[in-house]
Amino acid sequence: MKHLALFMAFISCIFVCRAQHIKILTSNDKVSLRGLSVVNDNVIWASGSKGQVARSTDGGKSFEWLTVKNYEQRDFRDIEAFDAGTAVIIAVDSPALILKTKDGGKTWLPVFRDDRPGMFLDAMSFTEDGNGIVVGDPIDNRLFIGMTTNYGDKWLPLKETDNEYVAANGEAFFASSGTNIKLRGNKNHPFIYFVTGGIDSRLFVNGSPAGLNIIHGSGSTGANSVDVDPTMKKIAIVGGDYTNDTLTKNNIEIFTIDGERLLQAPVQTPPHGYRSCVTFLTPNVLITCGTSGVDVSMDGGLNWKLISGESFHVCAKAKKGKAVFLAGKDGRIATVLN
């Protein structure tokens, strides 16, 4: 057992050392990227400010930068891609918009619009069978929830009589990486996880809320991102205070799932500052990023090592593959070399 433990520590060290090599693949100093979707090791989509979408079909060797016609001033904070030709994007602020392309980004058609004052879409998530959810800031004190069952072709908001998601005072979502919500399972048995921030910060699991220890109490604090491990036995949540992005206190929570119980895991070494996105690479290996750097964990999120001080908003692993990418300010898209 001693030899096995030493061997596993050695393997972990190799991974962490290799993961220090973050390679910038493309950049655009006029764009901030916060949406990222990696279909497989070759197909990568990213979205951001000034109506910009970036797309690669060769694993990041080259990127095509696309301007969404008639929406050049919109900020697309999240994107979900299904293949090399099909993707949906959400535009923050009002009017709330969801657009879809089926021709590789050449044309985009609106599939959802809401002109109500205060509408602000934040993030969306899909399962493999086309079941999807989009969340937005509160309207009339209820968190906005919209659903689709056909890969985003049509969206149906929850009616007020069906919407049990009542927001606390000053509670909302962060549109920092498009990852404050995670949809798992399938159309018949969906599992919905999302996190809020602001004056209050909570985790919702299939409608049931639980308070978080993530720092909160002001508009710049709270949980920003949630992910669930592939076995659906662990939940990772990151956040912090984006106005104090080197603060390490109360910027992460790790839970294990025991039936319907959530058991808090004891984080010993937290990420090195505010983090806007977290992603499980395996049930025990995670990556998280924010404006003050990138961290990895090899033990299920209990201990984190800073591998880069570069700023990124979002990280993602290929849905079908092993490649890991990051995106952020100045239109930078990078890969993590293993």
Side-chain angles (χ1 to χ4, degrees), residues 50-179:
K50 299 183 178 179
Q52 292 294 298
V53 171
R55 171 178 169 268
S56 175
T57 58
D58 56 11
K61 295 177 182 177
S62 63
F63 279 87
E64 178 184 13
W65 285 89
L66 308 162
T67 301
V68 182
K69 188 177 180 181
N70 299 323
Y71 300 96
E72 292 84 355
Q73 301 306 313
R74 298 306 300 266
D75 191 353
F76 297 111
R77 293 286 184 96
D78 196 12
I79 186 167
E80 184 80 25
F82 307 109
D83 53 44
T86 312
V88 290
I89 50 178
I90 63 173
V92 296
D93 219 337
S94 183
L97 289 170
I98 304 178
L99 308 177
K100 185 169 183 177
T101 183
K102 296 182 180 180
D103 57 9
K106 295 182 179 64
T107 59
W108 297 82
L109 296 177
V111 291
F112 175 81
R113 178 177 178 129
D114 192 321
D115 291 277
R116 286 180 294 172
M119 275 297 300
F120 194 104
L121 299 180
D122 295 273
M124 58 186 169
S125 183
F126 281 79
T127 58
E128 291 185 358
D129 59 357
N131 199 31
I133 185 170
V134 63
V135 294
D137 287 348
I139 295 291
D140 296 328
N141 295 323
R142 294 182 185 274
L143 302 173
F144 177 83
I145 307 288
M147 306 292 293
T148 180
T149 57
N150 48 21
Y151 298 92
D153 283 338
K154 184 178 181 180
W155 295 83
L156 295 175
L158 284 185
K159 297 179 181 179
E160 184 173 344
T161 53
D162 297 328
N163 190 341
E164 59 184 322
Y165 300 106
V166 178
N169 182 37
E171 181 182 31
F173 294 107
F174 284 106
S176 53
S177 63
T179 60

Side-chain angles (χ1 to χ4, degrees), residues 213-288:
N213 290 326
I214 297 279
I215 185 173
H216 56 276
S218 70
S220 63
T221 60
N224 279 235
S225 178
V226 60
D227 199 17
V228 184
D229 88 286
T231 66
M232 294 180 64
K233 293 181 179 179
K234 295 178 185 176
I235 300 173
I237 301 166
V238 297
D241 184 348
Y242 66 76
T243 64
N244 186 1
D245 67 357
T246 59
L247 183 67
T248 62
K249 183 179 180 180
N250 294 349
N251 65 353
I252 186 169
E253 288 206 53
I254 302 292
F255 293 97
T256 58
I257 303 172
D258 180 15
E260 296 184 354
R261 295 190 305 165
L262 296 180
L263 305 177
Q264 189 175 37
V267 175
Q268 300 166 14
T269 307
H272 293 71
Y274 158 78
R275 295 295 179 257
S276 54
C277 185
V278 64
T279 300
F280 277 96
L281 306 184
T282 74
N284 287 313
V285 180
L286 300 90
I287 186 169
T288 186

